[in-house]
Amino acid sequence: MKIAIVTGAGSGIGRAVSLALLQDGYSVALAGRRRQLLEQVAAESGAGSRALAVPTDVTQPESVRALFARTKAAFGRLDLLFNNAGINPAAYVPFESLTYEQWTQTIDTNLTGMFLCAQEAFRQMKDQNPQGGRIIINGSVSAQVPRPDYAAYTASKCGLTGLTKCLSLDGRKYNIACGQIDIGNALTDLSAKQGRGVKQADGSILAEPMMDVQNVVSTVLHLANLPLEANIPFTTIMATKMPLVGRG
C-alpha cells in the first residue's frame, strides 16, 4: 500500500486527485484549511481509515510539521506528496494597484507553502526505509505564459518551476523524484469563471474553452505510479482550444 499527502485536498483539483488516489488503493492524508471539506472527501471516498483528514495551514511551519508527523504516525511512511494548495486573491488586479498584502498572501501560500511541504516530504523520504519517494508540484500554465493583471500568481508559479528543478537535482541521491504539472483550464468550481469570460491580453473578454478535471486526475495518477527509476520533470495538460499557444 502506498501513502500520499495531498494539500488543498478539500476542493478543486486536490479533491479530485485525492478521491482518485484513494480509489487506486493509496492511503491519503487530506490536508487543507477547512476540516469540514476534508471530512466530506474522506466520507465520499468510502476508504475508511485509509483517508485521514488533517486541517493544515501550509503557510505555517508548525502546521506543516504536524501534518507530516500525523501522516507518519498513522501510516508509517510517505511515498507521494501532491503539492497542490494554492490561491489567487489578486486575479485581474492591475499591477499598479496590487497591494503588498495581496502579493505576500499569494507568495506565502503558493511558493513558501510549497517549499515548507516539499522540505518536510524530502526529509521524511530521505530518512525512511526503503528510501525515496515522489513529489508532484501543481504549477500552472501561467508559469509559461501569463494572463494580464496576474503578476502575483504568475511570479509564484514561476518560482515553483525553479523549486521543481532544484528538488529534482537535490533529491537524486536519495531516490526522490520531483516533477511539475502545469494545468490550463481544468473545470472545477474554482475555475469555472474562465468558461464564463475572462480578460485577454488585448483587453477583450473571452469565454475560454475548458476541459474535464478528470484529464488532470489521470495524468497525476500516471506520474504518481511511475517507478522511482523514471521521472517526468515537467508536463503540461490544458484545454486543447484555450488561447495559450502562439498569440492568443
Side-chain angles (χ1 to χ4, degrees), residues 158-209:
C158 288
L160 290 179
T161 298
L163 180 63
T164 298
K165 292 177 180 179
C166 289
L167 289 171
S168 185
L169 173 61
D170 295 343
R172 192 183 299 168
K173 56 184 175 290
Y174 303 123
N175 208 28
I176 298 171
C178 183
Q180 178 172 316
I181 180 169
D182 290 338
I183 301 165
N185 285 13
L187 183 58
T188 69
D189 290 343
L190 303 177
S191 65
K193 182 178 180 180
Q194 270 97 269
R196 295 193 297 267
V198 290
K199 187 177 180 180
Q200 304 297 305
D202 63 0
S204 64
I205 302 298
L206 175 68
E208 295 187 1

Side-chain angles (χ1 to χ4, degrees), residues 3-247:
I3 314 303
I5 292 175
V6 177
T7 64
S11 60
I13 290 168
R15 178 183 183 279
V17 168
S18 296
L19 290 170
L21 288 169
L22 288 161
Q23 185 176 11
D24 201 46
Y26 281 75
S27 293
V28 181
L30 307 163
R33 292 171 295 169
R34 293 166 288 185
R35 177 186 294 274
Q36 182 179 3
L37 293 182
L38 301 175
E39 291 177 344
Q40 287 173 358
V41 174
E44 182 177 341
S45 73
S49 61
R50 289 192 295 109
L52 177 67
V54 187
T56 306
D57 182 350
V58 298
T59 70
Q60 299 301 313
E62 63 275 13
S63 184
V64 172
R65 286 193 293 267
L67 163 65
F68 282 81
R70 282 199 61 189
T71 303
K72 185 175 181 180
F75 301 128
R77 63 176 286 113
L78 178 64
D79 298 293
L80 172 70
L81 167 65
F82 183 43
N83 215 358
N84 167 74
I87 60 172
N88 192 9
Y92 303 107
V93 175
F95 183 75
E96 65 273 19
S97 301
L98 185 65
T99 68
Y100 174 79
E101 290 75 20
Q102 289 170 325
W103 173 270
T104 54
Q105 185 183 7
T106 305
I107 298 298
D108 286 351
T109 298
N110 294 6
L111 185 54
T112 304
M114 291 272 194
F115 156 74
L116 292 171
C117 291
Q119 187 178 59
E120 288 300 314
F122 195 99
R123 288 167 172 166
Q124 187 168 331
M125 291 171 177
K126 173 186 173 183
D127 292 341
Q128 65 192 7
N129 185 24
Q131 189 182 65
R134 187 177 302 276
I135 298 169
I136 301 173
I137 289 178
N138 184 354
S140 171
V141 293
S142 289
Q144 305 171 26
V145 181
R147 291 184 180 277
D149 301 329
Y150 245 58
Y153 185 81
T154 300
S156 71
K157 295 300 185 177
C158 288
L160 290 179
T161 298
L163 180 63
T164 298
K165 292 177 180 179
C166 289
L167 289 171
S168 185
L169 173 61
D170 295 343
R172 192 183 299 168
K173 56 184 175 290
Y174 303 123
N175 208 28
I176 298 171
C178 183
Q180 178 172 316
I181 180 169
D182 290 338
I183 301 165
N185 285 13
L187 183 58
T188 69
D189 290 343
L190 303 177
S191 65
K193 182 178 180 180
Q194 270 97 269
R196 295 193 297 267
V198 290
K199 187 177 180 180
Q200 304 297 305
D202 63 0
S204 64
I205 302 298
L206 175 68
E208 295 187 1
M210 306 294 288
M211 66 173 174
D212 193 316
V213 71
Q214 292 303 316
N215 294 306
V216 175
V217 170
S218 61
T219 304
V220 173
L221 280 180
H222 174 68
L223 298 174
N225 289 325
L226 286 171
L228 288 179
E229 68 179 7
N231 188 36
I232 299 175
F234 293 94
T235 188
T236 300
I237 183 164
M238 53 176 273
T240 301
K241 296 182 179 181
M242 75 173 290
L244 176 75
V245 178
R247 296 178 181 264

